[in-house]
Amino acid sequence: MRAVAVFPADKAMRVVDHPEPRLERDTDVMLAMLDVGLCGTDREIARFEYGSPPPGAAYLVIGHESLGRVVETGRAVTRLKPGDLVVTMVRRPCPHPECKACAVGRQDFCFTGDFTERGIKGRHGFMTERVVDDQRFMHVVPAHLRDVGVLVEPLTIAEKALIQLYDMRARLPWTAAGAPAGADHGQKAVVLGAGPVGLLGAMALLVRGFETWVYSLEPEGGPKARWAESVGARYLSAASTPLPEMERRIGNIDLVYEATGAAGVAFRALQAIGVNGVFVFTGVPGRKGPIELDADPIMRDLVLQNQLVFGTVNAGPDAFEAAVGDLARFHARWPEPLRALITGRHAPEACPDLLARPASGIKTVVTFAGSR
Ligand code: BGC
Ligand code: ZN
């Protein structure tokens, strides 16, 4: 069957004829792949800066943002049936029994770094026609979300961040669990960056009642600004509104959700969080060299204003379930803006080229639908 693969040793990427997987255990499920999303991690892999084939293999089948349809189930499979739409999780546990995170199925918090990731690190990914995995790594997506289900995995980044935010906010009695419903109303959030992770994050904040601003490079009045306004967020351009001016316009910022992957922008924006504010990093920066930063005011505010800063990667089953639920909410509330996040669908053969060119649009998807 066809698969898109990277050969790190030869510095090549191409469509290969990959052996079709089979059900091996009773809890295995076979999927026909429908859509596979491309992201910054795939671009890093395509530049041969990241990514590793399974032990002994010459190539890695890429792809980790997926949507598939169940075609076959093992005898002990209870959670899924043929025809179901499914998103499969990316990370698999490390082999060390002493890793407390992996031992409880929370490899997204793995201590050892020896986890594997489908399509990224030591395991073939989803950019192929058929995929087999254990049912416990799969999450069912309602049929009416067929067109946008591939956005579940990138949305899990925001969901994991928000789950942690709520845990941490238990420190503030007036917003903690048990506080009246709608306790987020009046909370102000800024999303840094208008890529898929940022824009999906903005929707997740809006459905929770946050007053939400998107702050990015693109000009005010442009397509990103219009998209933000179409979902009820406000847009500020970093090109015309410097950070101090952004702070002045917004007031006390309760949350900054960073989705730029640019250290210079992100660390300077630490200054923007307000009293009791939280800053969450989600972007993985490339190596751009040192930045200059006036750290005293940042440190002063962190202490004198009870601020929190944390980073988050990958996602657990709770975030996948939350992402499926939120995607349904987004679809009900903003069907057109949600669909507009997917700006291109291409055949697998186009993938090496798509990853070699500079990114354009918002989310690019490779589709296997209708290929057999
Ligand atoms: C994926 C994560 C993964 C991370 C690092 C991201 O693009 O969404 O699941 O953990 O890359 O490999
Ligand atoms: Zn581990």
Side-chain angles (χ1 to χ4, degrees):
M1 61 177 185
R2 285 176 306 160
V4 180
V6 63
F7 293 73
D10 306 341
K11 299 217 183 305
M13 177 174 280
R14 61 175 178 268
V15 176
V16 295
D17 185 15
H18 186 66
E20 194 158 323
R22 274 172 313 180
L23 299 188
E24 270 156 30
R25 281 153 311 205
D26 287 351
T27 49
D28 276 351
V29 174
M30 188 181 300
L31 305 176
M33 271 302 123
L34 298 172
D35 290 338
V36 184
L38 299 179
C39 80
T41 300
D42 298 304
R43 295 184 167 276
E44 272 190 87
I45 296 172
R47 291 194 302 267
F48 317 106
E49 291 166 9
Y50 197 52
S52 48
Y59 63 82
L60 168 75
V61 175
I62 65 164
H64 61 278
E65 301 181 357
S66 72
L67 179 71
R69 192 186 297 284
V70 176
V71 289
E72 203 185 330
T73 56
R75 276 183 304 154
V77 170
T78 49
R79 296 181 45 226
L80 303 147
K81 56 178 187 322
D84 283 349
L85 293 181
V86 161
V87 171
T88 307
M89 294 168 74
V90 178
R91 199 176 277 195
R92 301 292 171 267
C94 77
H96 309 293
E98 70 278 12
C99 180
K100 291 201 174 79
C102 289
V104 297
R106 289 309 300 268
Q107 45 274 16
D108 56 312
F109 286 110
C110 177
F111 283 94
T112 69
D114 291 337
F115 57 81
T116 54
E117 287 180 332
R118 292 205 63 165
I120 303 174
K121 186 174 181 278
R123 260 178 212 271
H124 288 311
F126 305 130
M127 191 82 77
T128 181
E129 290 174 77
R130 292 279 188 272
V131 160
V132 168
D133 214 325
D134 193 282
Q135 63 167 350
R136 74 178 186 281
F137 299 121
M138 296 183 176
H139 295 268
V140 175
V141 175
H144 73 282
L145 300 179
R146 161 66 187 89
D147 286 352
V148 290
V150 70
L151 297 173
V152 165
E153 198 278 346
L155 176 57
T156 61
I157 306 296
E159 301 292 346
K160 180 175 168 183
L162 285 165
I163 290 167
Q164 293 174 88
L165 176 75
Y166 287 120
D167 288 349
M168 292 170 194
R169 277 223 315 234
R171 69 188 184 136
L172 309 177
W174 59 94
T175 58
D184 287 330
H185 287 282
Q187 294 270 322
K188 293 176 177 174
V190 175
V191 172
L192 295 182
V197 173
L199 299 181
L200 287 164
M203 286 176 147
L205 291 163
L206 287 159
V207 295
R208 284 164 180 76
F210 281 87
E211 224 181 310
T212 305
W213 281 260
V214 176
Y215 185 74
S216 191
L217 287 172
E218 297 84 352
E220 273 154 41
K224 292 284 173 72
R226 285 201 300 277
W227 185 93
E229 277 145 25
S230 74
V231 295
R234 272 168 275 182
Y235 185 87
L236 290 172
S237 171
S240 48
T241 310
L243 278 166
E245 168 69 7
M246 176 193 83
E247 269 183 87
R248 208 189 48 73
R249 298 253 294 258
I250 298 177
N252 195 68
I253 299 174
D254 299 285
L255 174 68
V256 172
Y257 177 78
E258 181 279 326
T260 63
V265 179
F267 275 81
R268 276 181 206 108
L270 273 172
Q271 185 72 74
I273 33 175
V275 178
N276 304 324
V278 179
F279 191 107
V280 52
F281 284 92
T282 76
V284 185
R287 195 72 192 105
K288 293 213 183 83
I291 58 157
E292 206 172 290
L293 187 71
D294 186 5
D296 286 348
I298 294 175
M299 182 165 166
R300 172 182 292 270
D301 285 1
L302 279 169
V303 173
L304 296 180
Q305 301 187 353
N306 294 292
Q307 295 167 339
L308 276 173
V309 178
F310 73 101
T312 183
V313 69
N314 198 258
D318 53 350
F320 273 79
E321 286 305 311
V324 172
D326 264 352
L327 201 69
R329 271 171 221 114
F330 302 171
H331 184 264
R333 196 158 152 188
W334 305 294
E336 281 317 312
L338 182 61
R339 261 194 288 274
L341 292 178
I342 299 178
T343 44
R345 284 185 196 269
H346 304 265
E349 287 69 23
C351 188
D353 223 42
L354 289 166
L355 289 173
R357 272 190 261 141
S360 67
I362 304 174
K363 177 58 73 186
T364 300
V365 169
V366 170
T367 183
F368 288 85
S371 68
R372 322 192 216 176

